[in-house]
Amino acid sequence: MKAALRLVLNVFAWFFAMPVLFVFAAALESHRILSISDHIAPITAVVLSLWAGVIYWRCIPSTPSMWRRVGYLAAFLGVMFLLGWAAMWATFVVMLAIYGA
């Protein structure tokens, strides 16, 4: 598998993980299995941040130039910020569709 395809697949999996994590946490909360509703946002933020770091480390190619590496990091962080923002809205829409207003 090429590095570009691996990067795209990892980033899309990262994007879809946020709504899935919140739906599973809400299901656990509604069945009184686990009470993590107060801590789900920070837990999700830490998990997704660590996962983004692993994606960058494993999928972004290394370069001999430090400036190109800094450029890759800036582009990666910008894209991940926008995807995180979109995933937050997707989570809101999914949770609204499932549980209502």
Side-chain angles (χ1 to χ4, degrees), residues 38-50:
D38 295 338
H39 307 291
I40 190 63
I43 290 169
T44 304
V46 168
V47 167
L48 292 176
S49 297
L50 291 173

Side-chain angles (χ1 to χ4, degrees), residues 2 4 7 12-14 19-20 22 28-29 35-36 38 44 48 51 58 60 62 70 74-75 81-82 88-89 95-96:
K2 291 188 177 186
L7 175 63
F12 277 128
W14 184 89
V20 169
F22 273 90
L28 291 174
E29 180 76 26
S35 179
I36 59 172
D38 295 338
T44 304
L48 292 176
W51 190 4
R58 297 287 296 163
I60 303 296
S62 61
V70 169
F81 174 78
L82 292 175
M88 182 182 63
W89 280 105
M95 295 298 280
L96 192 62

Side-chain angles (χ1 to χ4, degrees), residues 1-59:
M1 182 182 313
K2 291 188 177 186
L5 180 60
R6 191 173 58 234
L7 175 63
V8 169
L9 290 176
N10 275 294
V11 168
F12 277 128
W14 184 89
F15 173 82
F16 289 116
M18 187 183 298
V20 169
L21 287 173
F22 273 90
V23 168
F24 282 146
L28 291 174
E29 180 76 26
S30 68
H31 292 296
R32 307 216 187 278
I33 295 172
L34 187 61
S35 179
I36 59 172
S37 62
D38 295 338
H39 307 291
I40 190 63
I43 290 169
T44 304
V46 168
V47 167
L48 292 176
S49 297
L50 291 173
W51 190 4
V54 170
I55 291 171
Y56 180 78
W57 176 57
R58 297 287 296 163
C59 298

Side-chain angles (χ1 to χ4, degrees), residues 71-90:
Y72 284 167
L73 177 63
F76 180 78
L77 289 176
V79 167
M80 293 304 275
F81 174 78
L82 292 175
L83 281 174
W85 184 71
M88 182 182 63
W89 280 105

